[in-house]
Amino acid sequence: MSENVVDLNEKKGSNNFSKYTKGGIGILIAIILIGIVIVNIFIVREGEYKVVRQFGEVVRIVETPGLSYKIPFIQSVETLPKYQMIYDVEEAEINTKDKKRMMIDNYAVWRIEDPKQMISTTRTVVNAEAKLDEFVYSAIRTELGQLNYDEIINDEKSERGSLNDRITEIVNKNLEEDKYGIVVTDIRMKRTDLPAENEQSVFTRMISERQSTAQDYLSRGDAQKNIIEAQTDKEVKEIIAKAQADAEVIRSQGEGEAARIYNEAFSKDPEFYNLFRTLESYKTTIDGETVIILPADSPYARLLMGYTE
């Protein structure tokens, strides 16, 4: 009897242990499954592409922001930038149309438009930038090779704005033809320099040209000054001549008017006029040292002696 009770208790304990074991295994399996699901859920953020690969092959591109998933163990996810990127193109030397060398430093603004095409042709962003560098250098070398050195560096003759646009258009055309899946938004030249060994000679030539230009300005200024001075002297002489002519006219009119007044005065009292003219003549004929001997019957003597008849 006691042995049966012991056996029953042992069976009951064994059943409880089996029950707990199964429950624990079930919970463990559930946790593992939940963990697998969580691990294989990924977040797609603004400004990025998620590339889903299966055994190395691209099977899906996710670009809409939110949650997405991948198949556990057989699929992997990598991220590509969706925003615009700036690539500093390596400085390069080119030859201008007039056979002069110069150093060009520029940058490109670009973005990935078709991730699948980009991956199939260049595989990585680094390789895409290397290919972009080749296309930009080729386009710049071709375009600047059609311009003279002065047209590139001289701001007054520069077509740099339209040149940047042309280079951007050429690079995009080449990228599209070869299906690289990337687009260039803008290409700009930051700096145009001379090779170090040519700088001094070019600076010397530029100084000489500026000095020649300055001398030309001075010469033209002196010539203009001489023209203005000659014109002014001519106008002054004309004004003086006209003033002198007007003065002569006014003087002659005054003398005529004086003669008329004298005539009128003479006609009114001839004896007074003779006396006045005689006295006026004394001003020019007699001074402090003059000795005059006059006959007693001369007009001067008679006037001085008070005879009027």
Side-chain angles (χ1 to χ4, degrees):
M1 180 70 178
S2 59
E3 291 179 359
N4 291 334
V5 173
V6 172
D7 291 339
L8 183 61
N9 289 333
E10 289 179 355
K11 289 180 180 180
K12 185 177 180 180
S14 176
N15 290 335
N16 289 334
F17 177 78
S18 177
K19 181 179 179 180
Y20 292 144
T21 302
K22 290 179 180 179
I25 292 173
I27 293 172
L28 180 61
I29 293 172
I31 292 172
I32 292 172
L33 292 175
I34 292 173
I36 292 173
V37 170
I38 292 174
V39 168
N40 288 278
I41 291 176
F42 57 89
I43 299 173
V44 183
R45 294 181 174 84
E46 289 283 353
E48 66 181 16
Y49 297 103
K50 291 295 186 180
V51 181
V52 181
R53 293 176 178 269
Q54 183 170 315
F55 302 115
E57 296 295 329
V58 177
V59 295
R60 186 158 52 100
I61 304 290
V62 184
E63 56 182 287
T64 304
L67 294 176
S68 190
Y69 67 94
K70 65 181 180 67
I71 300 174
F73 308 115
I74 63 173
Q75 289 185 342
S76 61
V77 178
E78 66 177 291
T79 303
L80 291 177
K82 191 178 181 180
Y83 49 82
Q84 293 192 131
M85 295 169 282
I86 297 177
Y87 176 63
D88 194 359
V89 182
E90 186 176 352
E91 187 178 272
E93 182 177 305
I94 59 101
N95 291 322
T96 62
K97 183 179 179 181
D98 49 356
K99 308 303 180 186
K100 294 182 179 178
R101 293 185 302 160
M102 63 186 309
M103 304 299 295
I104 301 297
D105 188 10
N106 58 342
Y107 68 90
V109 181
W110 69 288
R111 60 184 172 82
I112 300 172
E113 187 174 62
D114 189 331
K116 195 168 185 178
Q117 281 189 351
M118 192 276 288
I119 292 171
S120 65
T121 52
T122 62
R123 296 189 178 276
T124 65
V125 172
V126 174
N127 291 341
E129 288 180 335
K131 185 57 65 175
L132 182 62
D133 192 300
E134 294 177 13
F135 281 127
V136 171
Y137 173 70
S138 176
I140 288 178
R141 184 181 61 185
T142 301
E143 290 298 312
L144 295 187
Q146 300 174 9
L147 297 175
N148 291 323
Y149 176 80
D150 290 341
E151 293 176 313
I152 298 173
I153 66 169
N154 193 335
D155 290 337
E156 296 177 358
K157 301 178 182 178
S158 177
E159 297 182 355
R160 190 170 296 180
S162 59
L163 177 63
N164 290 329
D165 295 339
R166 289 202 306 272
I167 294 173
T168 302
E169 183 179 352
I170 292 170
V171 172
N172 275 329
K173 183 178 179 181
N174 292 333
L175 291 172
E176 184 179 0
E177 287 178 353
D178 293 341
K179 300 186 183 305
Y180 280 97
I182 62 177
V183 173
V184 174
T185 306
D186 194 15
I187 295 175
R188 294 286 163 182
M189 281 189 285
K190 298 188 295 183
R191 187 164 48 94
T192 55
D193 283 337
L194 294 165
E197 62 270 18
N198 294 350
E199 284 185 357
Q200 189 56 49
S201 61
V202 173
F203 288 160
T204 302
R205 181 173 63 84
M206 290 174 67
I207 291 171
S208 176
E209 289 177 354
R210 294 299 182 269
Q211 290 176 342
S212 176
T213 302
Q215 187 59 47
D216 181 57
Y217 287 152
L218 291 173
S219 299
R220 283 190 284 177
D222 288 340
Q224 191 68 20
K225 169 192 166 186
N226 293 334
I227 292 172
I228 294 172
E229 287 181 347
Q231 183 67 24
T232 303
D233 291 342
K234 178 182 177 183
E235 292 176 358
V236 169
K237 289 179 181 179
E238 290 176 352
I239 292 171
I240 292 174
K242 185 177 182 302
Q244 290 175 342
D246 293 342
E248 290 296 328
V249 172
I250 294 171
R251 188 179 295 110
S252 63
Q253 291 175 350
E255 290 176 352
E257 184 67 15
R260 185 185 65 77
I261 294 172
Y262 287 151
N263 290 332
E264 289 179 357
F266 178 76
S267 62
K268 289 180 180 179
D269 192 345
E271 292 183 358
F272 175 77
Y273 182 74
N274 285 332
L275 175 63
F276 176 76
R277 294 291 293 176
T278 300
L279 294 175
E280 284 293 319
S281 68
Y282 291 164
K283 294 179 180 180
T284 58
T285 58
I286 298 176
D287 57 20
E289 298 179 357
T290 302
V291 178
I292 301 176
I293 300 174
L294 300 173
D297 59 348
S298 69
Y300 278 171
R302 293 177 64 82
L303 288 171
L304 291 172
M305 294 169 58
Y307 295 108
T308 57
E309 295 182 359

